[in-house]
Short mmCIF file of all heavy atoms in Angstrom, two decimals:
data_model
loop_
_atom_site.label_atom_id
_atom_site.label_comp_id
_atom_site.label_asym_id
_atom_site.label_seq_id
_atom_site.Cartn_x
_atom_site.Cartn_y
_atom_site.Cartn_z
N ILE A 118 4.41 -56.38 20.97
CA ILE A 118 4.34 -56.25 19.51
C ILE A 118 5.13 -55.01 19.12
O ILE A 118 5.13 -53.99 19.81
CB ILE A 118 2.86 -56.17 19.07
CG1 ILE A 118 2.78 -56.07 17.53
CG2 ILE A 118 2.15 -54.99 19.69
CD1 ILE A 118 1.40 -56.32 17.01
N ASN A 119 5.80 -55.12 18.02
CA ASN A 119 6.61 -54.00 17.53
C ASN A 119 6.46 -53.93 16.02
O ASN A 119 6.75 -54.90 15.31
CB ASN A 119 8.08 -54.26 17.92
CG ASN A 119 8.87 -52.98 17.85
OD1 ASN A 119 8.40 -51.99 17.29
ND2 ASN A 119 10.06 -53.00 18.41
N ILE A 120 5.95 -52.79 15.54
CA ILE A 120 5.74 -52.70 14.10
C ILE A 120 6.50 -51.51 13.54
O ILE A 120 6.74 -50.51 14.23
CB ILE A 120 4.23 -52.57 13.74
CG1 ILE A 120 3.63 -51.34 14.41
CG2 ILE A 120 3.48 -53.80 14.13
CD1 ILE A 120 2.20 -51.08 13.98
N THR A 121 6.86 -51.63 12.29
CA THR A 121 7.49 -50.52 11.56
C THR A 121 6.61 -50.20 10.36
O THR A 121 6.24 -51.11 9.60
CB THR A 121 8.90 -50.92 11.08
OG1 THR A 121 9.58 -51.53 12.18
CG2 THR A 121 9.65 -49.71 10.60
N ILE A 122 6.30 -48.94 10.23
CA ILE A 122 5.38 -48.52 9.17
C ILE A 122 6.09 -47.55 8.25
O ILE A 122 6.90 -46.72 8.70
CB ILE A 122 4.12 -47.87 9.78
CG1 ILE A 122 3.26 -48.93 10.46
CG2 ILE A 122 3.30 -47.14 8.74
CD1 ILE A 122 2.14 -48.38 11.26
N ASN A 123 5.79 -47.65 6.98
CA ASN A 123 6.36 -46.71 6.03
C ASN A 123 5.74 -45.33 6.27
O ASN A 123 4.54 -45.12 6.08
CB ASN A 123 6.05 -47.21 4.61
CG ASN A 123 6.75 -46.36 3.58
OD1 ASN A 123 7.52 -45.47 3.92
ND2 ASN A 123 6.46 -46.65 2.32
N LEU A 124 6.60 -44.35 6.68
CA LEU A 124 6.07 -43.04 7.02
C LEU A 124 6.37 -42.00 5.94
O LEU A 124 6.16 -40.81 6.15
CB LEU A 124 6.67 -42.58 8.34
CG LEU A 124 6.21 -43.39 9.56
CD1 LEU A 124 6.87 -42.87 10.82
CD2 LEU A 124 4.71 -43.32 9.71
N ASN A 125 6.89 -42.47 4.80
CA ASN A 125 7.22 -41.52 3.75
C ASN A 125 5.95 -41.18 2.96
O ASN A 125 5.41 -42.03 2.25
CB ASN A 125 8.28 -42.13 2.84
CG ASN A 125 8.94 -41.05 2.01
OD1 ASN A 125 8.42 -39.95 1.91
ND2 ASN A 125 10.08 -41.38 1.42
N GLU A 126 5.50 -39.94 3.11
CA GLU A 126 4.23 -39.55 2.51
C GLU A 126 4.26 -39.59 0.99
O GLU A 126 3.23 -39.77 0.35
CB GLU A 126 3.87 -38.11 2.93
CG GLU A 126 3.05 -38.04 4.19
CD GLU A 126 2.69 -36.61 4.51
OE1 GLU A 126 1.78 -36.09 3.86
OE2 GLU A 126 3.33 -36.02 5.39
N ASP A 127 5.45 -39.36 0.42
CA ASP A 127 5.52 -39.26 -1.03
C ASP A 127 5.39 -40.62 -1.71
O ASP A 127 5.02 -40.70 -2.89
CB ASP A 127 6.85 -38.61 -1.44
CG ASP A 127 6.99 -37.25 -0.80
OD1 ASP A 127 5.94 -36.61 -0.61
OD2 ASP A 127 8.13 -36.83 -0.51
N GLU A 128 5.70 -41.70 -0.99
CA GLU A 128 5.67 -43.01 -1.63
C GLU A 128 4.25 -43.52 -1.77
O GLU A 128 3.33 -43.05 -1.10
CB GLU A 128 6.51 -43.99 -0.81
CG GLU A 128 7.99 -43.84 -1.10
CD GLU A 128 8.82 -44.77 -0.26
OE1 GLU A 128 8.31 -45.85 0.13
OE2 GLU A 128 9.98 -44.43 0.01
N LYS A 129 4.13 -44.45 -2.69
CA LYS A 129 2.80 -44.96 -3.01
C LYS A 129 2.23 -45.78 -1.86
O LYS A 129 1.04 -45.69 -1.54
CB LYS A 129 2.91 -45.85 -4.27
CG LYS A 129 1.66 -45.82 -5.12
CD LYS A 129 1.92 -46.67 -6.34
CE LYS A 129 0.64 -46.99 -7.08
NZ LYS A 129 0.90 -47.94 -8.17
N ASP A 130 3.08 -46.56 -1.21
CA ASP A 130 2.59 -47.45 -0.15
C ASP A 130 2.80 -46.82 1.21
O ASP A 130 3.29 -47.44 2.15
CB ASP A 130 3.27 -48.81 -0.24
CG ASP A 130 4.77 -48.69 -0.33
OD1 ASP A 130 5.25 -47.54 -0.40
OD2 ASP A 130 5.46 -49.72 -0.33
N PHE A 131 2.40 -45.53 1.30
CA PHE A 131 2.48 -44.83 2.58
C PHE A 131 1.54 -45.48 3.58
O PHE A 131 0.36 -45.71 3.30
CB PHE A 131 2.10 -43.37 2.35
CG PHE A 131 1.89 -42.58 3.62
CD1 PHE A 131 2.93 -42.44 4.54
CD2 PHE A 131 0.68 -41.98 3.88
CE1 PHE A 131 2.73 -41.71 5.69
CE2 PHE A 131 0.47 -41.25 5.04
CZ PHE A 131 1.52 -41.11 5.94
N GLY A 132 2.07 -45.78 4.74
CA GLY A 132 1.24 -46.41 5.76
C GLY A 132 1.27 -47.91 5.76
O GLY A 132 0.65 -48.56 6.59
N LYS A 133 2.03 -48.47 4.83
CA LYS A 133 2.07 -49.94 4.74
C LYS A 133 3.01 -50.51 5.81
O LYS A 133 4.00 -49.85 6.18
CB LYS A 133 2.59 -50.32 3.35
CG LYS A 133 2.28 -51.73 2.95
CD LYS A 133 2.73 -51.94 1.56
CE LYS A 133 2.84 -53.43 1.24
NZ LYS A 133 3.44 -53.64 -0.07
#
Side-chain angles (χ1 to χ4, degrees):
Chain A
I118 182 166
N119 198 347
I120 58 174
T121 313
I122 289 171
N123 186 6
L124 292 179
N125 197 345
E126 270 182 77
D127 302 329
E128 280 178 27
K129 211 177 165 186
D130 50 356
F131 170 60
K133 199 176 163 187

